PDB file of all heavy atoms in Angstrom:
ATOM      1  N   ILE A   7     199.736 123.331  42.705  1.00 49.00           N
ATOM      2  CA  ILE A   7     198.770 122.365  43.237  1.00 49.00           C
ATOM      3  C   ILE A   7     197.426 122.497  42.513  1.00 49.00           C
ATOM      4  O   ILE A   7     196.810 121.500  42.158  1.00 49.00           O
ATOM      5  CB  ILE A   7     198.607 122.539  44.761  1.00 49.00           C
ATOM      6  CG1 ILE A   7     199.895 122.111  45.471  1.00 49.00           C
ATOM      7  CG2 ILE A   7     197.411 121.748  45.280  1.00 49.00           C
ATOM      8  CD1 ILE A   7     199.933 122.416  46.947  1.00 49.00           C
ATOM      9  N   SER A   8     196.994 123.709  42.236  1.00 50.00           N
ATOM     10  CA  SER A   8     195.733 123.934  41.517  1.00 50.00           C
ATOM     11  C   SER A   8     195.795 123.355  40.111  1.00 50.00           C
ATOM     12  O   SER A   8     194.857 122.719  39.641  1.00 50.00           O
ATOM     13  CB  SER A   8     195.413 125.432  41.449  1.00 50.00           C
ATOM     14  OG  SER A   8     195.202 125.946  42.735  1.00 50.00           O
ATOM     15  N   ILE A   9     196.911 123.575  39.438  1.00 48.00           N
ATOM     16  CA  ILE A   9     197.067 123.051  38.072  1.00 48.00           C
ATOM     17  C   ILE A   9     197.068 121.528  38.088  1.00 48.00           C
ATOM     18  O   ILE A   9     196.389 120.886  37.262  1.00 48.00           O
ATOM     19  CB  ILE A   9     198.353 123.600  37.430  1.00 48.00           C
ATOM     20  CG1 ILE A   9     198.190 125.097  37.158  1.00 48.00           C
ATOM     21  CG2 ILE A   9     198.692 122.854  36.146  1.00 48.00           C
ATOM     22  CD1 ILE A   9     199.466 125.802  36.738  1.00 48.00           C
ATOM     23  N   LEU A  10     197.767 120.932  39.031  1.00 41.00           N
ATOM     24  CA  LEU A  10     197.789 119.477  39.145  1.00 41.00           C
ATOM     25  C   LEU A  10     196.394 118.935  39.437  1.00 41.00           C
ATOM     26  O   LEU A  10     195.988 117.908  38.887  1.00 41.00           O
ATOM     27  CB  LEU A  10     198.771 119.027  40.220  1.00 41.00           C
ATOM     28  CG  LEU A  10     200.252 119.206  39.886  1.00 41.00           C
ATOM     29  CD1 LEU A  10     201.108 118.857  41.097  1.00 41.00           C
ATOM     30  CD2 LEU A  10     200.635 118.363  38.698  1.00 41.00           C
ATOM     31  N   ALA A  11     195.648 119.610  40.281  1.00 42.00           N
ATOM     32  CA  ALA A  11     194.284 119.175  40.599  1.00 42.00           C
ATOM     33  C   ALA A  11     193.394 119.220  39.367  1.00 42.00           C
ATOM     34  O   ALA A  11     192.590 118.316  39.136  1.00 42.00           O
ATOM     35  CB  ALA A  11     193.701 120.046  41.717  1.00 42.00           C
ATOM     36  N   ILE A  12     193.553 120.254  38.549  1.00 46.00           N
ATOM     37  CA  ILE A  12     192.752 120.368  37.322  1.00 46.00           C
ATOM     38  C   ILE A  12     193.074 119.210  36.380  1.00 46.00           C
ATOM     39  O   ILE A  12     192.181 118.586  35.808  1.00 46.00           O
ATOM     40  CB  ILE A  12     192.992 121.736  36.644  1.00 46.00           C
ATOM     41  CG1 ILE A  12     192.347 122.842  37.493  1.00 46.00           C
ATOM     42  CG2 ILE A  12     192.439 121.746  35.225  1.00 46.00           C
ATOM     43  CD1 ILE A  12     192.723 124.242  37.073  1.00 46.00           C
ATOM     44  N   PHE A  13     194.372 118.900  36.215  1.00 43.00           N
ATOM     45  CA  PHE A  13     194.752 117.778  35.354  1.00 43.00           C
ATOM     46  C   PHE A  13     194.214 116.452  35.884  1.00 43.00           C
ATOM     47  O   PHE A  13     193.745 115.614  35.120  1.00 43.00           O
ATOM     48  CB  PHE A  13     196.274 117.688  35.196  1.00 43.00           C
ATOM     49  CG  PHE A  13     196.836 118.679  34.230  1.00 43.00           C
ATOM     50  CD1 PHE A  13     197.780 119.599  34.657  1.00 43.00           C
ATOM     51  CD2 PHE A  13     196.437 118.709  32.908  1.00 43.00           C
ATOM     52  CE1 PHE A  13     198.305 120.524  33.776  1.00 43.00           C
ATOM     53  CE2 PHE A  13     196.953 119.628  32.024  1.00 43.00           C
ATOM     54  CZ  PHE A  13     197.903 120.549  32.461  1.00 43.00           C
ATOM     55  N   LEU A  14     194.260 116.281  37.187  1.00 41.00           N
ATOM     56  CA  LEU A  14     193.766 115.055  37.796  1.00 41.00           C
ATOM     57  C   LEU A  14     192.271 114.887  37.555  1.00 41.00           C
ATOM     58  O   LEU A  14     191.805 113.843  37.120  1.00 41.00           O
ATOM     59  CB  LEU A  14     194.062 115.043  39.300  1.00 41.00           C
ATOM     60  CG  LEU A  14     193.567 113.838  40.081  1.00 41.00           C
ATOM     61  CD1 LEU A  14     194.246 112.567  39.572  1.00 41.00           C
ATOM     62  CD2 LEU A  14     193.808 114.007  41.554  1.00 41.00           C
ATOM     63  N   VAL A  15     191.500 115.929  37.794  1.00 40.00           N
ATOM     64  CA  VAL A  15     190.048 115.877  37.592  1.00 40.00           C
ATOM     65  C   VAL A  15     189.732 115.661  36.119  1.00 40.00           C
ATOM     66  O   VAL A  15     188.874 114.860  35.763  1.00 40.00           O
ATOM     67  CB  VAL A  15     189.363 117.153  38.140  1.00 40.00           C
ATOM     68  CG1 VAL A  15     187.911 117.222  37.713  1.00 40.00           C
ATOM     69  CG2 VAL A  15     189.487 117.204  39.652  1.00 40.00           C
ATOM     70  N   SER A  16     190.458 116.342  35.224  1.00 43.00           N
ATOM     71  CA  SER A  16     190.241 116.167  33.789  1.00 43.00           C
ATOM     72  C   SER A  16     190.503 114.729  33.371  1.00 43.00           C
ATOM     73  O   SER A  16     189.758 114.142  32.592  1.00 43.00           O
ATOM     74  CB  SER A  16     191.160 117.098  32.991  1.00 43.00           C
ATOM     75  OG  SER A  16     190.863 118.428  33.273  1.00 43.00           O
ATOM     76  N   GLY A  17     191.575 114.147  33.914  1.00 43.00           N
ATOM     77  CA  GLY A  17     191.891 112.759  33.602  1.00 43.00           C
ATOM     78  C   GLY A  17     190.822 111.799  34.070  1.00 43.00           C
ATOM     79  O   GLY A  17     190.476 110.844  33.376  1.00 43.00           O
ATOM     80  N   LEU A  18     190.252 112.052  35.239  1.00 35.00           N
ATOM     81  CA  LEU A  18     189.179 111.197  35.744  1.00 35.00           C
ATOM     82  C   LEU A  18     187.948 111.285  34.871  1.00 35.00           C
ATOM     83  O   LEU A  18     187.300 110.293  34.589  1.00 35.00           O
ATOM     84  CB  LEU A  18     188.826 111.573  37.186  1.00 35.00           C
ATOM     85  CG  LEU A  18     189.857 111.183  38.239  1.00 35.00           C
ATOM     86  CD1 LEU A  18     189.453 111.757  39.595  1.00 35.00           C
ATOM     87  CD2 LEU A  18     190.004 109.692  38.327  1.00 35.00           C
TER      88      LEU A  18
END
Side-chain angles (χ1 to χ4, degrees):
I7 291 172
S8 296
I9 291 170
L10 289 174
I12 289 170
F13 282 121
L14 178 62
V15 170
S16 297
L18 288 174

